[in-house]
Amino acid sequence: MANRIFSLGLVASVAASPTLLKRDNTTMVYSFKDVPITSNIQYIPCYDKFTCTQLEVPLDYDDLSAGTTNIAFIKHSAPQQPAMGDIIYNPGGPGGSSIGDVPLGLPRIVALLGDSYNIVGMDPRGVNNSGPLLDCFGGKPWLRDYFINKFFFDVDPLSEASFSNYYEMTGAFGTWCTQNLNETAKYVNTPATARDMLQYAELLAESQDKPREEAKVNYYGISYGTVLGTTFAALYPDRVGKFLIDGVVDGNDYYFGNWSQGPQQADAAVESFFTLCAEAGEACAFKGNSSTAEEIKERFDGILEDLEKNPIPVTDPHYVVVPTTVTHMDFRNFLTTSLYRPATVFPILATLAAGLEKRDGRSTASVTGKGIPPTGACDYRPLGYDSTFYRQVIACNDNNHNFEITKESLTELFKYERTQSTYIGDVWSMAVIPQCRNLDISSPASQIFPGYKNVKTSTPILFGGNLIDPATSSYELMSSYFEGSRVLLQDAIGHALISTTSNCTASYVQRYFKTGELPPKDTVCETDFKVFSSALVVEDAGLVTRHSTGRRAVDML
Ligand SMILES: *[C@@H]1O[C@H](CO)[C@@H](O)[C@H](O)[C@H]1NC(C)=O
Ligand SMILES: *[C@@H]1O[C@H](CO)[C@@H](O)[C@H](O)[C@H]1NC(C)=O
Ligand SMILES: *[C@@H]1O[C@H](CO)[C@@H](O)[C@H](O)[C@H]1NC(C)=O
Ligand SMILES: *[C@@H]1O[C@H](CO)[C@@H](O)[C@H](O)[C@H]1NC(C)=O
Ligand SMILES: *[C@@H]1O[C@H](CO)[C@@H](O)[C@H](O)[C@H]1NC(C)=O
Ligand SMILES: *[C@@H]1O[C@H](CO)[C@@H](O)[C@H](O)[C@H]1NC(C)=O
């Protein structure tokens, strides 16, 4: 990362892109195709309440001959201008789209961060609106969706034959994608995205007549966004402004490439479902006649055990459009998702479990998208968003072939993950790593992360997390790399601070962004919301969505 200060003149010389549009900057636009790609920040009104800009950046800041790509930004402006600055936001993934997430998640984001800064969503390289294009299926999204649905979901890791087939299929996927991905895919990785964030901050400073080299990035990253944030802070410690790193991934584990440390607390999160359900009474649809958490656990485990041997057929046309079955992996997939946001999803989990106990799989089939095939070739849609591939390319490039994937090492990894979590270990192991095996792409040396070491950042970093986080609980470890940083915890179950609401958390976070003041050591905030607190009983989770991409990928980081 030697070439930190990128010269604008050089961008301009490679900027003769055919997609460069000349447009007046007052027309409201609703697509990034209508946002000019420029070498400096030029926000134009977009999506009714926002402004958008699209920057042309070098694919490799250390080798300008590699060409350029476009990075998309969407901005929510603080009500009071001038704002205290821009906070770049990343919702996780890898592969999550900030452009999609900022409009959707804005109320939650503002409730946490306050409104003294502009909130800027940036699609990381390769993701959704930002280039370069990652496509293994020649612009035919229905082939991609068919493939994902058929080969990445209907796998039973408990069956040796199914596991072997999965292993070969993931290898085939890598070989296929290596043949079909554009060679620019190697520039899609986390260090390069971190560098793009610096580029944004420098261009913003320039537009405000401030010195480029003093520009700092303000940042809010969740989950995988914590890898991006800590990567930035490790590479550019003197360019760190206010940083909230929420739902903290073990960055060493991520870069090493086996993703083995995520679900350390997942079983604790499932146990809390049993406890909360027992306490909730009627509000928990799965409570039944059980009076203790232990009894509920026994019934719940019984469902999984039965499903492992006896999948449940579903044929009710109100719930599915083709006949299907619900397997233990379908239920484990949903269970994984529910642990991320217990406040809203545990009541649904309780409803599904109550159905499955009676061998009624209709709601589970519907909620998980099983029995709803991807829309077919006649229903043509342009190549859309698919987090699975984005995630794999970014994660695989980042691990840089560190973790050697053989059938034996993968078998070991599955075994190890089951010791981390009996409930979701298998779901976790399948998510990313197997797919890296034959993906023969290598990022340039300048974009390989050199590893974390102790650094002092120009502003202390605020780390955050819940007492029980099913996917990311490495705040102590990561905080230890950044001198002066502080951890703010929330007494909650779920993925990251933002998975629930807390006035206490929000007030510490907002004070930090406004004044730089950190919360006192060992602060643990209460939340405002209790799971199963309202009498919300989900009676019928059945809703057939006919325009579906098929089954939903489980949220990852
Ligand atoms: C549009 O561009 C002009 C000239 O570049 C600038 O003065 C004006 O502030 C811009 N308007 C918006 C809405 O960005
Ligand atoms: C991708 O970006 C578009 C805007 O171009 C947005 O409407 C969409 O929601 C985004 N996709 C996701 C999954 O966030
Ligand atoms: C790869 O992408 C670049 C930039 O978009 C494009 O010019 C080139 O033609 C692509 N190569 C292939 C083989 O598609
Ligand atoms: C995964 O990687 C970690 C290092 O991050 C290592 O300690 C662990 O043993 C590995 N696990 C497996 C199953 O390979
Ligand atoms: C609860 O007990 C009643 C009466 O013994 C029985 O009919 C019912 O099936 C039980 N419900 C569950 C969920 O076990
Ligand atoms: C949180 O703050 C809001 C607005 O200040 C207030 O209305 C609400 O009562 C507070 N909730 C709790 C639990 O303190």
Side-chain angles (χ1 to χ4, degrees):
M1 301 285 151
N3 186 16
R4 287 191 188 171
I5 296 168
F6 177 73
S7 151
L8 255 182
L10 288 167
V11 182
S13 67
V14 280
S17 158
T19 46
L20 203 68
L21 296 179
K22 283 207 168 59
R23 238 173 178 278
D24 95 60
N25 61 1
T26 52
T27 314
M28 184 67 65
V29 303
Y30 296 92
S31 163
F32 272 88
K33 290 191 180 62
D34 298 327
V35 179
I37 299 169
T38 52
S39 55
N40 57 1
I41 295 175
Q42 294 186 21
Y43 275 109
I44 62 167
C46 65
Y47 301 101
D48 296 327
K49 296 181 194 147
F50 300 91
T51 53
C52 293
T53 187
Q54 207 161 192
L55 289 179
E56 178 172 51
V57 303
L59 283 165
D60 182 347
Y61 290 80
D62 281 3
D63 173 13
L64 301 181
S65 69
T68 64
T69 192
N70 58 300
I71 305 294
F73 297 83
I74 190 167
K75 178 165 78 170
H76 161 73
S77 294
Q80 295 248 329
Q81 297 288 334
M84 288 188 70
D86 287 15
I87 297 175
I88 299 179
Y89 166 73
N90 182 286
S97 170
S98 304
I99 305 284
D101 211 71
V102 163
L104 276 179
L106 193 64
R108 288 192 306 147
I109 299 168
V110 171
L112 180 62
L113 304 182
D115 62 7
S116 45
Y117 286 75
N118 303 321
I119 312 286
V120 173
M122 159 182 157
D123 272 350
R125 288 179 172 222
V127 174
N128 204 6
N129 300 286
S130 291
L133 181 68
L134 302 179
D135 173 21
C136 301
F137 290 92
K140 301 186 180 73
W142 59 91
L143 292 181
R144 178 196 66 197
D145 294 343
Y146 168 80
F147 174 80
I148 293 175
N149 277 271
K150 186 154 175 56
F151 295 106
F152 283 178
F153 284 101
D154 282 329
V155 178
D156 183 359
L158 299 180
S159 146
E160 210 175 307
S162 180
F163 181 78
S164 289
N165 192 55
Y166 175 67
Y167 176 75
E168 296 305 341
M169 221 29 248
T170 57
F173 164 79
T175 305
W176 180 269
C177 277
T178 304
Q179 292 165 18
N180 289 292
L181 276 172
N182 190 300
E183 61 185 25
T184 54
K186 68 178 179 217
Y187 301 109
V188 176
N189 54 65
T190 301
T193 295
R195 181 61 184 84
D196 293 336
M197 287 169 23
L198 181 59
Q199 181 80 350
Y200 177 84
E202 291 192 344
L203 292 174
L204 185 66
E206 194 171 69
S207 74
Q208 296 164 344
D209 294 323
K210 293 179 193 156
R212 258 181 102 111
E213 56 285 357
E214 285 170 23
K216 292 189 171 59
V217 167
N218 303 302
Y219 180 74
Y220 175 41
I222 306 167
S223 197
Y224 159 76
T226 69
V227 176
L228 177 57
T230 54
T231 297
F232 180 93
L235 295 174
Y236 311 106
D238 53 342
R239 312 303 286 275
V240 171
K242 308 282 170 25
F243 263 49
L244 175 60
I245 298 296
D246 181 15
V248 187
V249 176
D250 176 338
N252 296 321
D253 180 56
Y254 171 85
Y255 278 110
F256 177 75
N258 63 4
W259 285 50
S260 66
Q261 301 305 307
Q264 289 172 4
Q265 298 185 334
D267 282 5
V270 181
E271 299 287 339
S272 66
F273 168 71
F274 306 142
T275 311
L276 290 164
C277 184
E279 288 166 0
E282 305 242 302
C284 175
F286 188 61
K287 182 165 181 300
N289 298 334
S290 303
S291 48
T292 64
E294 289 70 31
E295 287 170 36
I296 291 173
K297 173 178 162 61
E298 203 169 305
R299 285 167 49 224
F300 191 91
D301 290 354
I303 294 173
L304 280 169
E305 209 174 298
D306 185 45
L307 276 176
E308 281 172 10
K309 295 186 205 73
N310 309 300
I312 300 173
V314 179
T315 55
D316 183 337
H318 295 296
Y319 292 79
V320 292
V321 294
V322 291
T324 189
T325 56
V326 168
T327 68
H328 76 101
M329 285 303 285
D330 295 325
F331 190 44
R332 287 184 204 277
N333 276 318
F334 184 79
L335 175 62
T336 306
T337 303
S338 77
L339 304 178
Y340 281 51
R341 286 207 183 83
T344 45
V345 192
F346 270 2
I348 302 172
L349 176 67
T351 302
L352 301 193
L356 293 174
E357 189 171 39
K358 292 179 283 184
R359 291 194 57 78
D360 176 349
R362 291 176 302 171
S363 293
T364 305
S366 173
V367 167
T368 58
K370 191 106 191 263
I372 305 170
T375 30
C378 320
D379 215 347
Y380 178 79
R381 291 166 299 128
L383 189 69
Y385 181 89
D386 179 75
S387 66
T388 314
F389 288 133
Y390 302 150
R391 183 196 303 152
Q392 278 149 5
V393 175
I394 297 168
C396 298
N397 282 347
D398 281 344
N399 88 49
N400 192 33
H401 314 283
N402 277 326
F403 180 58
E404 197 192 332
I405 304 161
T406 62
K407 200 162 171 188
E408 290 66 37
S409 74
L410 204 58
T411 306
E412 281 309 305
L413 185 63
F414 273 78
K415 259 194 215 153
Y416 177 80
E417 284 311 290
R418 282 179 203 131
T419 69
Q420 295 271 28
S421 169
T422 55
Y423 288 105
I424 70 158
D426 281 346
V427 173
W428 192 264
S429 309
M430 284 174 54
V432 177
I433 292 322
Q435 282 74 252
C436 293
R437 180 160 61 103
N438 289 353
L439 197 60
D440 194 10
I441 308 174
S442 296
S443 295
S446 62
Q447 295 178 353
I448 305 290
F449 186 60
Y452 294 95
K453 50 185 189 334
N454 294 338
V455 292
K456 184 168 168 39
T457 50
S458 42
T459 313
I461 296 177
L462 180 57
F463 287 87
N466 292 327
L467 291 184
I468 299 179
D469 186 313
T472 59
S473 47
S474 298
Y475 42 82
E476 289 295 348
L477 173 75
M478 296 316 291
S479 169
S480 73
Y481 288 111
F482 299 98
E483 198 181 322
S485 65
R486 184 66 46 88
V487 176
L488 171 64
L489 291 177
Q490 201 170 245
D491 185 4
I493 311 141
H495 188 34
L497 297 172
I498 200 155
S499 61
T500 185
T501 57
S502 160
N503 281 356
C504 166
T505 302
S507 67
Y508 282 119
V509 166
Q510 291 172 23
R511 191 174 312 159
Y512 167 73
F513 275 105
K514 275 200 189 130
T515 69
E517 186 186 335
L518 292 163
K521 269 196 175 132
D522 303 320
T523 302
V524 179
C525 276
E526 294 298 318
T527 63
D528 302 342
F529 188 84
K530 297 285 172 254
V531 181
F532 293 119
S533 60
S534 61
L536 171 72
V537 184
V538 183
E539 295 292 353
D540 182 357
L543 252 189
V544 175
T545 318
R546 278 169 200 276
H547 293 283
S548 162
T549 57
R551 298 162 68 186
R552 264 158 261 158
V554 176
D555 280 340
M556 291 309 301
L557 289 178

